Amino acid sequence: MKRVTILVAALLLLCASATAAEPRHDIHFPDIPGCHTLKCDFHTHTVFSDGNVWPTVRIDEAWREGLDAIALTDHIEYQPHREDVPTNHSRPCELAAGRARELGILLIRGAEITRDTPPGHHNAIFLDDIDRLAKEDFFAVFDTAQKQGAFVFWNHPGWQGLEAGKWGEAQQTLLDKKQLHGIEICNGDSYYEYAHQLALDKGLTLVGNSDIHDPSPELQPTPEHHRTLTLVFARERNLESLHDALRAGRTAVWQKNRLIGNENELSAMFSACVRVNPPHHRSGNRMWVAIDNRGELEIELERIDETVRPARFVLAPLATTLVRFEASPELRAQGLPYRTANFLTGPAKPLNVKLVIPGD
Ligand SMILES: [Zn+2]
Ligand SMILES: [Zn+2]
């Protein structure tokens, strides 16, 4: 009997260590000057609301998928599993905290404030005590979130009904009271262009998340198919710096094969990803140049000046691409003007870059 117990214990230990050893697949977005690039998902669900996984599983997934930080944001007002999993708003983070420490994942206590549209759903993250937000009066909930120093964003503005996506009285009131700080311009596979414009008009931080409910699929991610994330440019890799960076609006959203953000951060990220090597061969105005892309995106470049060749080229992710440029010496001296079709600084507004060819 004793031997059996020992055997079972040993097997359990083996299983536990097997889980911990699951390989992590890094997401390649380099740091930018003065900031760490943290890969974050601020919108996830567990069985404590309408999700289908236990809280610790969210941490294992975050590790496996190369995330730095994750917020568990179960609905406060909607718990379809209530009969099996009793209401306990602080429990998901309590359960996940140990696993997060073991795997070095920054865990954020959050909640989804759930109302029909309007005003729709909002996430409050960096909360101290979620129970205090469980009240009927909509504005009282946000007063409480503010007292706890929460960062609040409007979720999936494209949801639901006739009023979906409309900047309503509720949002304006929250903004006036400094109780609304960000907006989900991307939720899963959806990108809301009007929400992106709203973010620019109202000075809201750009956020993009998975809003994952089911277990995360163990598929190899591709440039087109991966978890939608917010990149946060934080001074340090800790929760305080992460919160500061969100408040300061230093974010970019990585969704499908595009990066959406402010010009400063996007152009810093472009420079961090792309290295143009000196030409290794020339003939007249033509130059053969190897360009390294250290990032996760397949970067799509289109010429701005009609006289420059090529008209369009793509830099493969985490690889070196050979490009044959043709341009006048004058343009080469200024840097070749291209627009980066999948780095967006506004709706349908690509980032402009100048490619300087070293040693030219
Ligand atoms: Zn929601
Ligand atoms: Zn949600």
Side-chain angles (χ1 to χ4, degrees):
M1 186 63 195
K2 208 180 214 174
R3 215 180 279 167
V4 173
T5 317
I6 291 169
L7 193 66
V8 169
L11 274 174
L12 280 172
L13 267 176
L14 261 179
C15 293
S17 61
T19 325
E22 217 182 341
R24 176 172 165 95
H25 296 282
D26 289 326
I27 299 169
H28 298 90
F29 284 105
D31 291 343
I32 63 172
C35 291
H36 296 270
T37 301
L38 304 183
K39 298 95 190 175
C40 312
D41 191 350
F42 300 120
H43 192 166
T44 69
H45 293 278
T46 77
V47 288
F48 283 82
S49 63
D50 57 347
N52 292 318
V53 308
W54 193 247
T56 52
V57 176
R58 288 286 175 241
I59 308 297
D60 287 331
E61 293 168 347
W63 159 264
R64 197 173 72 214
E65 295 174 28
L67 272 64
D68 293 289
I70 189 167
L72 301 181
T73 57
D74 280 308
H75 296 280
I76 296 176
E77 299 83 358
Y78 180 56
Q79 287 139 50
H81 307 312
R82 189 179 276 141
E83 279 184 25
D84 299 300
V85 184
T87 300
N88 190 343
H89 301 301
S90 51
R91 199 64 186 138
C93 266
E94 279 173 15
L95 287 166
R99 193 72 181 139
R101 276 193 297 272
E102 284 172 14
L103 296 180
I105 301 290
L106 300 171
L107 174 62
I108 302 159
R109 189 185 292 113
E112 183 159 9
I113 303 159
T114 310
R115 300 288 191 276
D116 287 341
T117 308
H121 295 185
H122 295 75
N123 269 9
I125 60 173
F126 298 102
L127 290 169
D128 297 326
D129 184 353
I130 300 170
D131 286 308
R132 289 179 184 274
L133 274 68
K135 44 181 105 187
E136 240 170 70
D137 184 90
F138 178 76
F139 290 108
V141 178
F142 291 83
D143 290 338
T144 309
Q146 188 176 38
K147 277 189 199 127
Q148 296 185 19
F151 177 86
V152 175
F153 54 91
W154 184 14
N155 293 347
H156 43 69
W159 189 88
Q160 108 250 68
L162 292 174
E163 298 292 307
K166 284 191 191 147
W167 181 260
E169 250 172 70
Q171 275 82 25
Q172 189 58 47
T173 305
L174 294 178
L175 186 72
D176 292 342
K177 292 169 83 178
K178 298 194 176 5
Q179 293 178 347
L180 183 65
H181 315 104
I183 184 166
E184 254 184 5
I185 59 164
C186 295
N187 176 291
D189 281 344
S190 305
Y191 163 47
Y192 315 106
E193 282 201 343
Y194 50 87
H196 189 184
Q197 191 56 52
L198 273 175
L200 300 176
D201 296 344
K202 310 285 181 187
L204 295 166
T205 298
L206 304 173
V207 180
N209 300 304
S210 68
D211 196 2
I212 191 168
H213 286 72
D214 290 323
S216 186
E218 291 195 39
L219 301 172
Q220 190 62 34
T222 65
E224 270 299 319
H225 299 283
H226 58 83
R227 188 197 285 236
T228 295
L229 294 179
T230 307
L231 306 185
V232 179
F233 305 102
R235 303 278 180 229
E236 307 284 339
R237 192 187 185 279
N238 61 41
L239 288 174
E240 202 190 338
S241 286
L242 178 56
H243 196 165
D244 288 347
L246 281 171
R247 293 273 176 169
R250 287 199 309 274
T251 63
V253 174
W254 177 43
Q255 193 235 19
K256 297 190 177 171
N257 190 42
R258 59 189 160 206
L259 199 62
I260 307 168
N262 300 313
E263 195 169 343
N264 274 350
E265 283 76 31
L266 287 199
S267 83
M269 182 51 73
F270 183 88
S271 303
C273 287
V274 175
R275 197 182 76 182
V276 184
N277 292 290
H280 52 270
H281 178 57
R282 301 161 189 268
S283 172
N285 274 346
R286 286 183 293 176
M287 290 172 299
W288 283 255
V289 176
I291 304 182
D292 308 322
N293 176 5
R294 296 168 55 218
E296 199 78 32
L297 275 160
E298 200 172 67
I299 302 176
E300 300 163 11
L301 290 139
E302 295 163 0
R303 72 177 170 203
I304 296 173
D305 188 297
E306 291 292 303
T307 65
V308 176
R309 286 204 185 110
R312 188 180 175 279
F313 63 95
V314 170
L315 300 175
L318 304 172
T320 300
T321 302
L322 180 69
V323 185
R324 195 185 77 183
F325 288 110
E326 196 172 338
S328 65
E330 296 74 42
L331 269 177
R332 273 151 45 197
Q334 296 162 25
L336 306 180
Y338 277 86
R339 68 174 70 89
T340 311
N342 54 343
F343 278 55
L344 297 177
T345 60
K349 194 168 170 236
L351 175 78
N352 291 340
V353 295
K354 284 201 165 153
L355 296 177
V356 177
I357 298 166
D360 180 27

